[in-house]
Amino acid sequence: DGGITQSPKYLFRKEGQNVTLSCEQNLNHDAMYWYRQDPGQGLRLIYYSQIVNDFQKGDIAEGYSVSREKKESFPLTVTSAQKNPTAFYLCASSSSSHLGNTEAFFGQGTRLTVV
Amino acid sequence: AQSVTQPDIHITVSEGASLELRCNYSYGATPYLFWYVQSPGQGLQLLLKYFSGDTLVQGIKGFEAEFKRSQSSFNLRKPSVHWSDAAEYFCAVDFKSLMRFGAGTRLTVKP
């Protein structure tokens, strides 16, 4: 079945550690996104990538890093520079706008907690 | 500035009553428009989308939305709400291959 998979579902991080959240899709989508969700703030865009080997900062990129070495994969690293990393992280993918149908498909999310 | 606004943070309706959730956008041109629903601790599921053409679009679970260019709005409606519709609803836009979301509206359904 085609879809988008995030792992792990729950992740605990100690202060000062970097952690990497996995996101894989088999939908052959060009575009992939990372969002952070906090109560009452909706989904805020962290990073996005519209093509392999290229990515752009979103609205809240500080303290995060990404890579896009393969079309299927878009891992997010939460670095120690991120002051308040506890949140629910959602990965999404979509086809490009110029193709018309740009519905985004979401993973089930990763809940990151700093302990 | 480009933005997506959902003015209602929380709405409570009685089961069987009608529902309208508001969404306004601020972009130079009409973006692609979406409504998503999220159950607690889950990802988002697409309810419906508007790209062009008929301004009244039908979605899953009995939802519909109307695009009004003059008001830069894309409001979600359902004629009769079911208890299972309780969830958080997000309006989203895709403008030049960049998806952005509103802050969400949490829907509570009273018996």
Side-chain angles (χ1 to χ4, degrees):
Chain A
D1 288 332
I4 183 164
T5 302
Q6 288 185 243
S7 62
K9 189 173 177 63
Y10 299 96
L11 187 57
F12 297 89
R13 192 195 91 170
K14 293 183 180 179
E15 296 270 359
Q17 279 185 337
N18 292 354
V19 290
T20 297
L21 284 60
S22 170
C23 179
E24 303 277 334
Q25 55 99 359
N26 60 4
L27 299 166
N28 199 34
H29 284 164
D30 288 314
M32 296 188 75
Y33 310 82
W34 275 106
Y35 295 91
R36 170 179 170 142
Q37 187 175 21
D38 298 281
Q41 297 195 52
L43 279 69
R44 293 184 290 166
L45 183 63
I46 304 173
Y47 267 98
Y48 63 101
S49 168
Q50 296 178 336
I51 196 168
V52 176
N53 292 321
D54 187 49
F55 50 82
Q56 307 295 328
K57 293 182 179 180
D59 301 318
I60 56 165
E62 185 175 351
Y64 299 97
S65 66
V66 293
S67 63
R68 187 85 187 277
E69 297 176 1
K70 297 186 300 182
K71 189 175 187 177
E72 306 79 36
S73 178
F74 192 41
L76 173 75
T77 297
V78 184
T79 75
S80 57
Q82 169 51 237
K83 299 305 180 189
N84 184 23
T86 294
F88 190 54
Y89 291 87
L90 284 163
C91 180
S93 70
S94 71
S95 57
S96 299
S97 285
H98 72 276
L99 297 176
N101 186 355
T102 65
E103 171 189 347
F105 289 80
F106 282 83
Q108 291 300 295
T110 293
R111 185 164 298 280
L112 174 62
T113 304
V114 174
V115 297
Chain B
Q2 298 176 337
S3 66
V4 185
T5 304
Q6 293 180 248
D8 304 306
I9 296 173
H10 183 205
I11 285 182
T12 299
V13 300
S14 298
E15 190 168 15
S18 63
L19 171 70
E20 182 169 32
L21 303 182
R22 297 182 290 165
C23 174
N24 293 92
Y25 63 91
S26 174
Y27 283 80
T30 300
Y32 298 137
L33 298 160
F34 308 82
W35 275 99
Y36 287 85
V37 61
Q38 183 185 36
S39 298
Q42 301 295 314
L44 276 67
Q45 180 184 22
L46 180 72
L47 285 175
L48 46 79
K49 57 192 175 186
Y50 173 78
F51 293 145
S52 64
D54 193 347
T55 57
L56 185 64
V57 294
Q58 302 297 320
I60 62 171
K61 304 183 180 185
F63 285 93
E64 66 178 26
E66 185 172 14
F67 168 63
K68 292 186 177 180
R69 186 186 305 274
S70 61
Q71 299 177 19
S72 296
S73 69
F74 189 56
N75 294 349
L76 181 71
R77 301 195 295 247
K78 186 170 185 177
S80 178
V81 169
H82 188 262
W83 64 266
S84 60
D85 293 324
E88 187 140 23
Y89 292 81
F90 292 94
C91 181
V93 303
D94 181 329
F95 188 68
K96 296 185 178 180
S97 294
L98 185 54
M99 293 283 294
R100 280 207 165 84
F101 290 79
T105 298
R106 183 162 61 91
L107 174 65
T108 297
V109 181
K110 294 190 302 185

